[in-house]
Amino acid sequence: MSGAIAVLSGPGGVGKGTLVAALRHRLPRWSVAVSATTRASREGERDGVDYHFVSDAEFDRLIADGELLEWATFGGNRYGTLWRSVRDPLSQDRCVLLELEVRGALAVRKEFPDASLIFLHPPSLDTLTSRLRQRGTDDDRRVAERMALAEWELAQADAFDHHVTNDDLEAAAAQIVRILGDAADP
Ligand code: 5GP
């Protein structure tokens, strides 16, 4: 018997990364899949832990060699799920948690119809805009573009199995731990 697959998704800026960091040590049966990306590493990020940071040419090779389950462009960079990051834990009877933008989550559903899709909602659109602004990495035009994308992403929420609102980190983390517990032991 192999383990379960779950995807945590939601609009950019909603706080998926922070939540996954908070969950990491609370889910002994789950592996968090490490994606490949062409974006530069941010301070404190480690290659092979947060992402596999790869060149454009290496990303092209991963696509050509069929090593990616899905990939998407986000904010001018490419991100992709490595097949091995899903297959390896499953073959060891472990469960896999993926943290992906919305198109990636929907692509995983196509490959794995039984995957549990969790949508992380912002408390409100205003909160999302201010989170995107607070990041300080985007100018006004980029914030507007990301908001337009976020509205499209929010409109896809109906396709997801579970809905969590990220107004309190601890409460949201506890809710996800419960969802994943049920997914691992249906
Ligand atoms: P960030 O640059 O902030 O780490 O990630 C940007 C976006 O890319 C986030 O929404 C994150 O969930 C998403 N992402 C990370 N890895 C992957 C992946 O392998 N595939 C897809 N489709 N999205 C990803």
Side-chain angles (χ1 to χ4, degrees), residues 126-140:
D126 283 351
T127 333
L128 194 63
T129 317
S130 56
R131 281 191 194 161
L132 287 176
R133 285 191 198 289
Q134 274 163 15
R135 278 192 173 178
T137 50
D138 295 328
D139 59 27
D140 281 355

Side-chain angles (χ1 to χ4, degrees), residues 152-172:
W152 177 84
E153 291 179 313
L154 288 166
Q156 311 309 307
D158 284 354
F160 285 65
D161 307 301
H162 305 280
H163 299 269
V164 175
T165 299
N166 195 17
D167 41 14
D168 175 80
L169 179 69
E170 187 46 41

Side-chain angles (χ1 to χ4, degrees), residues 7 10 31 37 45 49 68 77 86 97-98 148 153 170 182 185:
V7 185
S31 295
T37 183
E45 285 183 330
V49 176
L68 300 181
N77 299 302
V86 176
L97 176 63
L98 299 140
E153 291 179 313
E170 187 46 41
D182 291 345
D185 288 305

Side-chain angles (χ1 to χ4, degrees), residues 4-20:
I5 301 178
V7 185
L8 179 65
S9 192
V14 74
K16 303 185 287 288
T18 312
L19 249 179
V20 169

Side-chain angles (χ1 to χ4, degrees), residues 78-165:
R78 290 185 290 172
Y79 299 82
T81 305
L82 292 155
W83 269 111
R84 66 177 154 88
S85 74
V86 176
R87 282 191 179 137
D88 289 356
L90 291 182
S91 71
Q92 295 158 18
D93 197 25
R94 292 180 55 76
C95 302
V96 185
L97 176 63
L98 299 140
E99 185 242 294
L100 307 174
E101 49 73 65
V102 171
R103 285 162 300 178
L106 298 175
V108 170
R109 153 105 340 133
K110 287 215 175 95
E111 290 290 341
F112 297 98
D114 293 339
S116 298
L117 265 50
I118 307 169
F119 197 96
L120 190 62
H121 293 263
S124 69
L125 265 186
D126 283 351
T127 333
L128 194 63
T129 317
S130 56
R131 281 191 194 161
L132 287 176
R133 285 191 198 289
Q134 274 163 15
R135 278 192 173 178
T137 50
D138 295 328
D139 59 27
D140 281 355
R141 192 173 59 85
R142 281 287 303 138
V143 172
E145 278 171 15
R146 292 188 62 162
M147 279 310 295
L149 177 59
E151 282 181 35
W152 177 84
E153 291 179 313
L154 288 166
Q156 311 309 307
D158 284 354
F160 285 65
D161 307 301
H162 305 280
H163 299 269
V164 175
T165 299

Side-chain angles (χ1 to χ4, degrees), residues 31-48:
S31 295
V32 179
V34 181
S35 294
T37 183
T38 59
R39 90 152 157 71
S41 62
R42 297 185 187 129
E43 208 182 313
E45 285 183 330
R46 285 176 297 162
D47 190 27

